[in-house]
Amino acid sequence: MTAPPDDCLARNEWICGAYLTSRGHILWDAVVQHLQLTAVSVAIGLLIAVPLAVAARRWRWAAGPVLGITTILYTIPSLAMFSLLLPVYGLSASIVVAGLVLYSLTLLVRNILAGLRAVPEDTRQAARGMGYGPVRLLLAVELPLAVPAAMAGLRIATVSAVSLVTVGAIVGYGGLGNLIYSGMNTYFKAQVLTASVLCVVIAVAADLLLLGIQRLLTPWTRAVPS
């Protein structure tokens, strides 16, 4: 006599502890890939966005093209973006990273530029009066004062990247998106829900981490108790 299914996997339930215990290594590998793709993409995006924002701040004629091009890139649907990048990168993790970098530029460039523009001109003049050259002025005065606005953009870009990584499942490099995609094809409820929840957890954790880093980097923005 065959015993009826008495576990949540057999019943295909949405919430299933047995899924976590039996497929923990699969979840871990997916989380690691998700974090790697997100971190690399945002880091490269930041390295590109800073000089673009500085150039747009220094030469006003460059602001329009820089903001215009990055905005256009952000409006391209993700599936179309990956299709355009496919001939260059092929079916690899690089195509996902490249796409996320391009998407992050709009958020990063705009916020960094806004932060640089918000630096008071009096502060710049005082620094020049103290002998600060253009490079030292940028590194020691302008960029530090632009950190709050830049970090706001970085937080949004990071959370967006966590979400967009899942689209990489169409080329086999989507982190937790791979599990969501395969789970939807097989109607594996526990896998879809677990992977989706983990995406949210990663996004929230990343946002809180960056918020903590922002507070450490900008102690002058903390409210002074009366």
Side-chain angles (χ1 to χ4, degrees):
M1 180 177 180
T2 304
D6 58 353
D7 64 274
C8 54
L9 284 176
R11 294 192 300 269
N12 194 27
E13 296 180 352
W14 287 103
I15 301 176
C16 181
Y19 175 78
L20 296 175
T21 56
S22 63
R23 292 167 172 79
H25 63 288
I26 297 177
L27 284 171
W28 175 252
D29 290 342
V31 168
V32 170
Q33 185 182 78
H34 208 104
L35 292 173
Q36 289 175 338
L37 291 171
T38 300
V40 171
S41 303
V42 174
I44 295 175
L46 187 61
L47 290 175
I48 298 174
V50 171
L52 286 178
V54 170
R57 172 67 183 85
R58 182 152 299 180
W59 299 293
R60 292 187 177 182
W61 61 265
V66 167
L67 294 176
I69 292 173
T70 55
T71 300
I72 291 173
L73 289 173
Y74 195 75
T75 63
I76 300 176
S78 55
L79 293 179
M81 178 71 80
F82 287 157
S83 297
L84 293 172
L85 295 173
L86 184 60
V88 179
Y89 296 101
L91 294 176
S92 65
S94 298
I95 192 175
V96 180
V97 172
L100 294 179
V101 168
L102 294 177
Y103 280 129
S104 69
L105 290 180
T106 300
L107 301 169
L108 293 173
V109 171
R110 284 186 176 275
N111 281 271
I112 295 172
L113 180 58
L116 292 173
R117 286 174 170 173
V119 177
E121 186 59 32
D122 292 345
T123 303
R124 291 192 178 92
Q125 293 297 339
R128 293 190 185 100
M130 297 172 62
Y132 281 47
V135 176
R136 187 181 179 192
L137 175 64
L138 174 66
L139 297 178
V141 178
E142 293 179 318
L143 286 178
L145 292 178
V147 165
M151 288 298 295
L154 182 60
R155 289 169 60 192
I156 298 173
T158 301
V159 172
S160 297
V162 171
S163 175
L164 288 172
V165 164
T166 57
V167 183
I170 62 174
V171 294
Y173 294 92
L176 291 164
N178 293 338
L179 299 182
I180 296 174
Y181 184 71
S182 62
M184 291 177 64
N185 286 336
T186 59
Y187 200 56
F188 193 171
K189 296 179 181 178
Q191 181 163 295
V192 172
L193 180 62
T194 303
S196 300
V197 170
L198 285 174
C199 285
V200 175
V201 170
I202 291 174
V204 172
D207 187 58
L208 292 176
L209 175 61
L210 291 174
L211 179 60
I213 293 174
Q214 178 181 338
R215 289 178 61 84
L216 290 175
L217 294 176
T218 58
W220 61 88
T221 62
R222 301 173 194 171
V224 179
S226 57

Tab-separated table of all heavy atoms in Angstrom, residues 65-77 81 102-103 106 110:
chain	number	residue	atom	x	y	z
A	65	PRO	N	24.003	66.029	-24.117
A	65	PRO	CA	24.237	64.718	-24.739
A	65	PRO	C	24.387	63.581	-23.735
A	65	PRO	O	23.860	62.483	-23.951
A	65	PRO	CB	25.544	64.938	-25.518
A	65	PRO	CG	25.576	66.401	-25.799
A	65	PRO	CD	24.944	67.046	-24.605
A	66	VAL	N	25.105	63.833	-22.640
A	66	VAL	CA	25.324	62.779	-21.648
A	66	VAL	C	23.998	62.333	-21.034
A	66	VAL	O	23.688	61.134	-20.960
A	66	VAL	CB	26.290	63.250	-20.542
A	66	VAL	CG1	26.276	62.286	-19.360
A	66	VAL	CG2	27.701	63.373	-21.091
A	67	LEU	N	23.197	63.297	-20.586
A	67	LEU	CA	21.912	62.959	-19.971
A	67	LEU	C	20.951	62.374	-20.998
A	67	LEU	O	20.192	61.447	-20.690
A	67	LEU	CB	21.299	64.202	-19.323
A	67	LEU	CG	22.062	64.775	-18.125
A	67	LEU	CD1	21.403	66.056	-17.636
A	67	LEU	CD2	22.148	63.763	-16.995
A	68	GLY	N	20.993	62.893	-22.211
A	68	GLY	CA	20.093	62.389	-23.248
A	68	GLY	C	20.379	60.951	-23.625
A	68	GLY	O	19.465	60.124	-23.716
A	69	ILE	N	21.649	60.641	-23.830
A	69	ILE	CA	22.022	59.283	-24.235
A	69	ILE	C	21.728	58.272	-23.129
A	69	ILE	O	21.180	57.189	-23.381
A	69	ILE	CB	23.510	59.227	-24.632
A	69	ILE	CG1	23.733	60.028	-25.921
A	69	ILE	CG2	23.971	57.781	-24.822
A	69	ILE	CD1	25.188	60.174	-26.304
A	70	THR	N	22.077	58.627	-21.882
A	70	THR	CA	21.828	57.688	-20.782
A	70	THR	C	20.334	57.486	-20.550
A	70	THR	O	19.906	56.386	-20.178
A	70	THR	CB	22.488	58.185	-19.488
A	70	THR	OG1	22.049	59.525	-19.192
A	70	THR	CG2	24.000	58.180	-19.617
A	71	THR	N	19.541	58.522	-20.790
A	71	THR	CA	18.086	58.381	-20.647
A	71	THR	C	17.520	57.473	-21.728
A	71	THR	O	16.659	56.625	-21.454
A	71	THR	CB	17.402	59.752	-20.717
A	71	THR	OG1	17.889	60.583	-19.655
A	71	THR	CG2	15.890	59.607	-20.578
A	72	ILE	N	17.997	57.632	-22.956
A	72	ILE	CA	17.540	56.771	-24.051
A	72	ILE	C	17.879	55.307	-23.758
A	72	ILE	O	17.064	54.404	-23.991
A	72	ILE	CB	18.174	57.216	-25.383
A	72	ILE	CG1	17.596	58.574	-25.811
A	72	ILE	CG2	17.931	56.173	-26.474
A	72	ILE	CD1	18.270	59.170	-27.020
A	73	LEU	N	19.081	55.065	-23.234
A	73	LEU	CA	19.475	53.693	-22.907
A	73	LEU	C	18.524	53.075	-21.886
A	73	LEU	O	18.200	51.886	-21.971
A	73	LEU	CB	20.905	53.683	-22.352
A	73	LEU	CG	22.023	53.977	-23.354
A	73	LEU	CD1	23.357	54.102	-22.629
A	73	LEU	CD2	22.096	52.890	-24.414
A	74	TYR	N	18.068	53.890	-20.935
A	74	TYR	CA	17.198	53.381	-19.869
A	74	TYR	C	15.819	53.007	-20.400
A	74	TYR	O	15.112	52.200	-19.779
A	74	TYR	CB	17.067	54.423	-18.763
A	74	TYR	CG	16.513	53.882	-17.477
A	74	TYR	CD1	17.303	53.102	-16.629
A	74	TYR	CD2	15.199	54.141	-17.086
A	74	TYR	CE1	16.797	52.601	-15.446
A	74	TYR	CE2	14.691	53.647	-15.907
A	74	TYR	CZ	15.493	52.873	-15.085
A	74	TYR	OH	14.990	52.372	-13.909
A	75	THR	N	15.413	53.606	-21.531
A	75	THR	CA	14.078	53.332	-22.070
A	75	THR	C	14.032	52.078	-22.941
A	75	THR	O	12.952	51.620	-23.308
A	75	THR	CB	13.590	54.522	-22.922
A	75	THR	OG1	14.463	54.701	-24.046
A	75	THR	CG2	13.561	55.806	-22.102
A	76	ILE	N	15.199	51.518	-23.277
A	76	ILE	CA	15.224	50.308	-24.115
A	76	ILE	C	14.741	49.111	-23.295
A	76	ILE	O	15.270	48.851	-22.213
A	76	ILE	CB	16.645	50.038	-24.649
A	76	ILE	CG1	17.132	51.220	-25.490
A	76	ILE	CG2	16.670	48.755	-25.475
A	76	ILE	CD1	18.564	51.076	-25.965
A	77	PRO	N	13.744	48.381	-23.756
A	77	PRO	CA	13.292	47.185	-23.023
A	77	PRO	C	14.436	46.200	-22.818
A	77	PRO	O	15.324	46.081	-23.668
A	77	PRO	CB	12.210	46.608	-23.942
A	77	PRO	CG	11.756	47.758	-24.783
A	77	PRO	CD	12.965	48.619	-24.984
A	81	MET	N	17.443	45.042	-25.250
A	81	MET	CA	18.823	45.366	-24.891
A	81	MET	C	19.719	44.136	-25.009
A	81	MET	O	20.806	44.190	-25.598
A	81	MET	CB	18.881	45.919	-23.467
A	81	MET	CG	20.280	46.237	-22.969
A	81	MET	SD	20.994	47.684	-23.763
A	81	MET	CE	20.185	48.991	-22.820
A	102	LEU	N	24.574	49.632	-18.499
A	102	LEU	CA	23.931	50.662	-19.308
A	102	LEU	C	22.674	51.198	-18.628
A	102	LEU	O	22.407	52.406	-18.660
A	102	LEU	CB	23.593	50.104	-20.689
A	102	LEU	CG	24.799	49.728	-21.560
A	102	LEU	CD1	24.330	49.108	-22.873
A	102	LEU	CD2	25.671	50.944	-21.829
A	103	TYR	N	21.908	50.314	-18.009
A	103	TYR	CA	20.699	50.762	-17.313
A	103	TYR	C	21.028	51.620	-16.088
A	103	TYR	O	20.289	52.543	-15.751
A	103	TYR	CB	19.861	49.559	-16.878
A	103	TYR	CG	19.021	48.958	-17.977
A	103	TYR	CD1	19.047	47.599	-18.237
A	103	TYR	CD2	18.201	49.756	-18.766
A	103	TYR	CE1	18.276	47.039	-19.253
A	103	TYR	CE2	17.435	49.207	-19.784
A	103	TYR	CZ	17.471	47.854	-20.019
A	103	TYR	OH	16.718	47.310	-21.027
A	106	THR	N	21.851	55.990	-16.185
A	106	THR	CA	20.878	57.080	-16.051
A	106	THR	C	20.738	57.522	-14.603
A	106	THR	O	20.829	58.713	-14.281
A	106	THR	CB	19.501	56.643	-16.586
A	106	THR	OG1	19.620	56.294	-17.955
A	106	THR	CG2	18.491	57.763	-16.444
A	110	ARG	N	22.760	61.105	-13.334
A	110	ARG	CA	21.866	62.198	-12.949
A	110	ARG	C	22.066	62.605	-11.497
A	110	ARG	O	22.101	63.802	-11.175
A	110	ARG	CB	20.407	61.800	-13.183
A	110	ARG	CG	19.993	61.843	-14.637
A	110	ARG	CD	18.512	61.575	-14.812
A	110	ARG	NE	18.129	61.706	-16.213
A	110	ARG	CZ	17.817	62.853	-16.794
A	110	ARG	NH1	17.826	63.971	-16.096
A	110	ARG	NH2	17.484	62.881	-18.075
